[in-house]
């Protein structure tokens, strides 16, 4: 049989890793390959349980893709930003405020950061089936590879993590997996996201914050680690600490929806994007993300049959009868983030009410 050829793609050269001494977030690292056996899952479940309860974040290694495959996907991720003309990009602009969906391009200067400064973040979002969505011409040769990348994230990363989270609550392993059906109505997507350097005036006005502190909307977020150090986590002691770069590693965190499903046991931790250290400034920051959501019809109420929750108690954001479905929550949060008014509580916290629930942002 003839050899399978892959289309050529321009190489994206990331910034070198920082050499600065920084205050790093010290959450646990798990070896995902251990999830292939019951014994391995039993070993990892308490580690993941404690990490997600304390920090809401963890590092992941041995996820099944090689460094070369990772680098290939980074090169592909730059295509929507460097190989698609601006006029063509406009044809695929996301209808964020209109319908609450990120599919397509989120252009730069769409969100307000602080003091009138707009963001310098561009991203291209693809719904998980990939082929059901229209895409720019330059990206089309790479769609089979992107779909394979989505499948890997969904089945080989997300599902094992969901099983460990279920075991941590002493629930049947497939409890959360059964809420994340690939072909169900929903909005789980892969995101290519590019941050551009800003001018000094914008840095001063925003106190060097590139994306204000927030929690993620969905259940589990998967960030493919890249070398530009900018992601900060609000640690349990109230201090901002940097997520460290692990070559070919992942940073995994819980979102609002997982916090609601777990009755407050797993934490949707505040995180933000900050100006990179001095030895990385002037570089773009290109990231690969897989943002997972439960199926749209899943009601975001605690799994009250969990023996763990029965022992430690349940923290609800609202009464069960008032809880939104995943679809309602997803659309409402997407429509308002970065574009609607917030109420400032003090110099650090801003609040807005979304579907009757308070959402906080931090500077």
């Amino acid at each position: 049989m003839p050899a399978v050829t892959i289309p050529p793609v321009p190489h994206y050269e990331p910034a070198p890793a920082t050499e600065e001494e920084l205050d790093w977030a010290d959450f646990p690292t798990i070896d995902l390959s251990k999830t292939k056996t019951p014994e391995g899952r039993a070993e990892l479940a308490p580690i993941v349980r404690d990490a997600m309860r304390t920090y809401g974040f963890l590092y992941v290694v041995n996820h099944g893709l090689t460094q070369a495959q990772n680098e290939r996907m980074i090169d592909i991720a730059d295509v929507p930003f460097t190989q698609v003309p601006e006029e063509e990009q406009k044809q695929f602009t996301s209808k964020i405020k209109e319908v609450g969906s990120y599919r397509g391009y989120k252009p730069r200067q769409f969100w307000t950061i602080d003091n009138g400064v707009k963001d310098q973040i561009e991203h291209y979002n693809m719904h998980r089936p990939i082929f059901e969505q229209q895409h720019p011409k330059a990206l089309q040769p790479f769609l089979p590879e992107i779909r394979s990348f989505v499948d890997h994230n969904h089945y080989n990363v997300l599902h094992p993590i969901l099983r460990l989270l279920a075991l941590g609550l002493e629930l049947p392993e497939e409890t959360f997996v059964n809420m994340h059906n690939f072909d169900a109505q929903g909005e789980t997507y892969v995101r290519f996201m590019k941050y551009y350097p800003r001018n000094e005036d914008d840095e001063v006005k925003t106190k060097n914050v590139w994306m204000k502190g927030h929690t993620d909307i969905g259940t589990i977020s998967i960030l493919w680690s890249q070398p530009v150090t900018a992601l900060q986590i609000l640690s349990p002691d109230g201090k901002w600490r940097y997520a460290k770069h692990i070559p070919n590693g992942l940073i995994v965190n819980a979102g609002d929806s997982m916090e609601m499903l777990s009755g407050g046991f797993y934490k949707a931790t505040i995180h933000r994007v900050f100006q990179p250290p001095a030895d990385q400034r002037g570089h773009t920051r290109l990231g690969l993300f897989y943002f997972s959501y439960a199926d749209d019809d899943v009601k975001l109420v605690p799994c009250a049959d969990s023996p763990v929750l029965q022992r430690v108690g349940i923290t609800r954001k609202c009464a069960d009868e008032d809880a939104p479905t995943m679809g309602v929550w997803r659309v409402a949060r997407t429509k308002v983030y970065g574009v609607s008014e917030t109420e400032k509580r003090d110099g650090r916290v801003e609040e807005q009410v979304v579907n009757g629930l308070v959402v906080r942002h931090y500077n």
Side-chain angles (χ1 to χ4, degrees):
M1 294 180 63
V4 176
T5 59
I6 58 174
V9 60
H11 178 59
Y12 174 82
E13 188 63 40
T18 183
E19 295 183 2
E20 292 194 19
E21 292 294 327
L22 300 171
D23 193 6
W24 300 108
D26 190 24
F27 31 83
T29 301
I30 67 162
D31 180 346
L32 200 64
S33 67
K34 292 183 177 181
T35 61
K36 295 177 181 178
T37 67
E39 295 79 13
R41 294 194 293 277
E43 174 190 340
L44 294 179
I47 299 172
V48 172
R49 176 199 64 205
D50 294 345
M52 288 304 207
R53 189 181 189 192
T54 304
Y55 305 102
F57 274 78
L58 57 93
Y59 300 114
V60 172
V61 296
N62 295 330
H63 47 70
L65 291 190
T66 66
Q67 180 68 40
Q69 289 172 310
N70 187 334
E71 292 172 0
R72 168 78 179 175
M73 283 308 306
I74 284 290
D75 290 344
I76 292 172
D78 202 32
V79 169
F81 313 119
T82 60
Q83 306 302 310
V84 180
E86 184 176 349
E87 284 305 309
E88 187 180 3
Q89 289 187 24
K90 291 178 181 178
Q91 299 173 27
F92 298 94
T93 301
S94 303
K95 296 182 179 179
I96 298 172
K97 290 191 287 187
E98 296 87 346
V99 300
S101 172
Y102 281 122
R103 295 189 199 189
Y105 283 97
K106 197 287 298 176
R108 293 160 71 174
Q109 299 191 322
F110 182 82
W111 294 325
T112 299
I113 306 302
D114 202 7
N115 289 319
V117 176
K118 299 287 188 177
D119 73 278
Q120 291 297 335
I121 306 165
E122 187 176 20
H123 49 75
Y124 186 74
N125 303 277
M126 292 158 283
H127 187 224
R128 60 191 170 204
I130 302 300
F131 295 102
E132 295 177 2
Q133 180 179 338
Q134 297 297 311
H135 301 281
K137 183 178 180 180
L139 196 62
Q140 291 173 14
F142 307 104
L143 296 183
E145 291 177 83
I146 296 170
R147 173 57 194 262
S148 294
F149 181 69
V150 167
D151 286 346
H152 180 77
N153 277 273
H154 197 87
Y155 295 110
N156 299 333
V157 180
L158 174 62
H159 278 192
I161 294 293
L162 292 174
R163 291 186 180 104
L164 295 174
L165 292 172
L167 289 173
L169 291 176
E170 299 175 15
L171 290 166
E173 277 193 20
E174 301 301 303
T175 298
F176 293 131
V177 169
N178 290 338
M179 299 179 187
H180 294 74
N181 295 288
F182 192 91
D183 296 322
Q185 184 71 31
E187 193 76 2
T188 293
Y189 54 91
V190 62
R191 172 181 293 178
F192 300 157
M193 191 168 190
K194 195 169 187 177
Y195 296 76
Y196 296 83
R198 305 189 311 183
N199 62 51
E200 188 57 32
D201 186 52
D202 284 355
E203 296 293 355
V204 171
K205 288 181 178 179
T206 61
K207 300 181 178 64
N208 307 111
V209 173
W210 284 18
M211 188 175 185
K212 66 178 62 177
H214 63 283
T215 54
D216 289 344
I217 302 170
T219 50
I220 294 295
S221 301
I222 301 166
L223 163 62
W224 289 71
S225 186
Q226 52 77 51
V228 177
T229 298
L231 177 62
Q232 292 185 326
I233 287 82
L234 189 60
S235 300
D237 62 3
K239 295 182 179 179
W240 290 105
R241 290 186 170 88
Y242 286 97
K244 61 186 176 183
H245 170 52
I246 300 177
N248 201 32
L250 309 174
I251 299 169
V252 174
N253 66 280
D256 290 337
S257 303
M258 180 55 70
E259 183 171 301
M260 287 189 268
L261 290 169
S262 68
F265 190 84
Y266 296 131
K267 304 301 182 186
T269 297
I270 298 285
H271 52 287
R272 69 181 183 183
V273 179
F274 201 72
Q275 183 186 33
D279 60 355
Q280 292 185 319
R281 291 174 193 168
H283 293 273
T284 57
R285 178 178 185 262
L286 181 61
L288 292 169
F289 297 80
Y290 192 71
F291 288 105
S292 68
Y293 296 78
D295 303 343
D296 269 1
D297 60 359
V298 171
K299 194 167 187 181
L300 299 178
V301 296
C303 296
D305 53 345
S306 159
V308 172
L309 295 186
Q310 290 172 8
R311 291 196 298 269
V312 304
I314 292 173
T315 301
R316 290 176 168 85
K317 288 184 178 291
C318 62
D320 287 357
E321 57 267 27
D322 298 326
T325 62
M326 181 73 261
V328 168
W329 180 244
R330 168 181 59 78
V331 169
R333 279 288 311 272
T334 300
K335 281 183 175 181
V336 301
Y337 177 80
V339 294
S340 63
E341 291 295 324
T342 59
E343 183 176 347
K344 293 193 175 184
R345 290 296 184 185
D346 55 37
R348 191 179 194 185
V349 181
E350 299 175 12
E351 291 184 349
Q352 60 186 163
V353 178
V354 180
N355 268 54
L357 303 181
V358 175
V359 176
R360 293 182 173 87
H361 306 285
Y362 289 68
N363 293 315

